[in-house]
Amino acid sequence: MHAAAFVALLLAAAPAWPQSQAQPEAPSGWQSRDAVHAKRFMVAAANPFAVEAGVEVLRAGGGALDAAITVQMVLGLVEPQSSGLGGGAFLLHWSQRERRLRSYDGRETAPAAAKPDRFLGADGRPQGFVDAVVSGRSVGVPGVLRMLELAHRRHGRLAWARLFEPAIQLAEQGFPMSPRLHRLLEGERELRKGAAARALYYGADDRPRAVGTRIVNPDYAATLRAVAAFGADAFYTGTIAQDIVRAVRGHARPGDLDAEDLAGYRALERDPVCLNYRGMRVCSMGPPGGGAAVLQLLGILERTDFRGAAPNSAAALHYFSEAGRLAYADRGRYHADPDFVAVPLVGLLAPDYLDRRARLVGERSLGRAEAGQPEGAQATVDVPETTLAGTSHLSIVDGRGDAISMTTTIESAFGSRILVRGFLLNNQLTDFSFATGAANGIAGGKRPRSAMSPTMVLGADGAPQVVLGSPGGPAIINYVARTLAAMIDWRLDAQGAVSLPHGGSMNGPTQLERGTGYEQLATELRARGHEVRLGDLTSGLHVIERVPGGWRSGADPRREGIARGD
């Protein structure tokens, strides 16, 4: 199909954004979803335009990896607050032909000049939010393009350049401002201070353009044209790279990223981490990703009375929260870039260690759990979780049985707020720990720890049974683990599991999603010793599960994503 006709199809197929959705209760409001069924293939992602583009790639004979590239390029345009060329990603790829699961690391890296005191003030204390995040010093070397290029060389079916056409045409012809993007722009104070971003997203009254207004981004289209024609080298070297360096080093709070940092970036293939849960093989992204914490949480949970507790009961939330405290405590001490730190991964997931951790779970809350001592652990310090979250997730299965789970991010919503060539740069370096002596401390070339946990559950035949993941900052680990527990223990389908109210702990207060009915569980949880806090827990789960005759998918009602397939 001709690219212009394809974009016209996208604009017609994607739902219109009614003005009534412009002021939702949470970042995107709650939009009820029904489970989606398909016989051959499925795409679930965070925006209808991206999903429709991915579906068309699969219809044209592309594979899951091809569709993932197209989906990411469109997401970088239509939800720039969450991911894009200026960020990083983790990707799981299942090859049905090879019967093999691979994981790819496109996490950002710190500039070679980065030092441990990067985000400390003159008094030795961590800098404030604006000083640390909205600055050139927070920008890591973007990794998503190199990662996608590496994966495409191994798994791609369609030509690289073909995969950029939908996003290029949509950027040139324009897309309608969505309610979610509009709402986030309303609450954002720093982005509009940049002339390019202000001209792109704001009107003459300095307010975000109205929902439905067509947003045209020719700079993004030009960037994609260069990458489509010349590969990722067009981004990491040459004039695009020069503009990135100039923007970072010329910021009012300048950074030290240079051309050599960009030219030297390498995406990596890493071994997935896997663990059995209730007889199912759960596999995810190892360090510096968050998958090991998901697996540890599930491993501890399996050893408690969780399965005997009634679904959605205070008892079930108690056990889940306590397992989370223990997993997050170990994550805070031990998880980091394994190329710089000896992460005791085998010890953390060893059955006898999980047994010991699970024995700490009683009928009353631990309050705050201490990190354990798994085999292979080295001395380091504990670091609490940060709360920034500007991330997206996509799940895809194709007609040949290949599957993709990819979580992609620029860290905070709108990243560093630095717009270059039509895309935003990440603030990923604030994911490093500021504390001296931490495993996740900053160093030149190091990748910051991440909670992103693209995950697959492999069935009895060894092929993917469930493909899932979520945005949500450090809470990603809870979102993914709870969704899996709901599907495996409570037998919920994909849509039922992602629509469940959220509850859990990151080794602090037990958080309950407000406005969901979970408030009524607070009294019983407090009686068990929990400090309970109510708030918005805005996951963005996208789940695809294998069912007789094809696939069934669920998209998170908290955001504007959908699932589609044939």
Side-chain angles (χ1 to χ4, degrees), residues 298-353:
L298 291 173
I300 296 168
L301 192 68
E302 187 175 24
R303 291 162 167 81
T304 71
D305 293 330
F306 175 79
R307 180 171 251 182
N312 290 315
S313 65
L317 275 172
H318 166 73
Y319 293 122
F320 185 83
S321 298
E322 297 306 288
R325 289 179 209 285
L326 293 160
Y328 276 93
D330 284 350
R331 165 181 151 83
R333 178 171 291 184
Y334 299 118
H335 289 208
D337 184 342
D339 295 331
F340 284 73
V341 174
V343 181
L345 190 59
V346 173
L348 288 167
L349 299 177
D352 61 339
Y353 182 70

Side-chain angles (χ1 to χ4, degrees), residues 212-513:
T213 302
R214 192 172 294 269
I215 305 299
V216 178
N217 191 340
D219 290 342
Y220 186 68
T223 299
L224 293 187
R225 286 190 183 279
V227 174
F230 302 108
D233 281 349
F235 182 90
Y236 289 94
T237 62
T239 59
I240 296 175
Q242 291 168 10
D243 284 350
I244 293 172
V245 171
R246 187 178 300 112
V248 168
R249 299 178 80 95
H251 193 272
R253 301 180 186 90
D256 46 21
L257 183 146
D258 62 26
E260 287 73 23
D261 294 317
L262 284 161
Y265 182 86
R266 297 292 181 269
L268 303 173
E269 181 181 344
R270 298 190 186 275
D271 292 331
V273 292
C274 299
L275 189 77
N276 288 338
Y277 179 73
R278 313 288 193 198
M280 306 289 283
R281 189 69 170 166
V282 183
C283 296
S284 192
M285 188 76 204
V294 171
L295 301 184
Q296 191 181 8
L297 194 163
L298 291 173
I300 296 168
L301 192 68
E302 187 175 24
R303 291 162 167 81
T304 71
D305 293 330
F306 175 79
R307 180 171 251 182
N312 290 315
S313 65
L317 275 172
H318 166 73
Y319 293 122
F320 185 83
S321 298
E322 297 306 288
R325 289 179 209 285
L326 293 160
Y328 276 93
D330 284 350
R331 165 181 151 83
R333 178 171 291 184
Y334 299 118
H335 289 208
D337 184 342
D339 295 331
F340 284 73
V341 174
V343 181
L345 190 59
V346 173
L348 288 167
L349 299 177
D352 61 339
Y353 182 70
L354 295 174
D355 289 341
R356 296 201 306 273
R357 296 298 271 168
R359 284 196 289 270
L360 298 174
V361 178
E363 292 305 310
R364 289 189 59 79
S365 177
L366 292 164
R368 184 169 184 83
E370 298 295 329
Q373 288 291 323
E375 184 177 353
Q378 298 181 1
T380 183
V381 300
D382 295 326
V383 177
E385 293 293 344
T386 57
T387 57
L388 303 179
T391 304
S392 196
H393 180 83
L394 52 113
S395 296
I396 302 173
V397 293
D398 67 25
R400 301 172 181 85
D402 291 358
I404 287 288
S405 179
M406 174 174 154
T407 312
T408 173
T409 184
I410 56 171
E411 173 53 353
S412 173
F414 302 104
S416 63
R417 281 65 168 182
I418 300 174
L419 187 73
V420 180
R421 295 278 190 129
F423 60 89
L424 287 162
L425 296 177
N426 69 86
N427 65 290
Q428 213 63 252
L429 301 190
T430 55
D431 257 0
F432 281 112
S433 304
F434 296 176
T436 302
N440 188 43
I442 194 168
K446 190 175 181 181
R447 299 169 192 235
R449 182 180 68 196
S450 172
M452 294 191 296
S453 304
T455 300
M456 294 191 194
V457 179
L458 306 182
D461 60 354
Q465 183 71 35
V466 182
V467 180
L468 80 159
S470 181
I476 289 171
I477 293 160
N478 277 336
Y479 296 152
V480 172
R482 181 166 167 76
T483 301
L484 286 172
M487 296 180 74
I488 295 171
D489 289 287
W490 299 344
R491 308 283 184 182
L492 295 182
D493 67 18
Q495 190 59 59
V498 303
S499 298
L500 272 182
H502 287 309
S505 174
M506 296 184 288
N507 203 22
T510 297
Q511 299 174 322
L512 302 181
E513 187 174 9

Side-chain angles (χ1 to χ4, degrees), residues 15-18 21-22 24-34 48 178-180 495 499 555-562:
W17 303 115
Q21 295 180 12
E25 106 186 29
S28 294
W30 184 278
Q31 303 178 54
S32 294
R33 308 283 191 211
D34 294 324
S178 78
R180 179 164 181 254
Q495 190 59 59
S499 298
D556 205 313
R558 299 164 184 84
R559 300 200 184 197
E560 60 193 18
I562 62 169

Side-chain angles (χ1 to χ4, degrees), residues 29-46:
W30 184 278
Q31 303 178 54
S32 294
R33 308 283 191 211
D34 294 324
V36 175
H37 294 78
K39 292 182 178 180
R40 296 191 299 131
F41 59 72
M42 185 81 77
V43 179

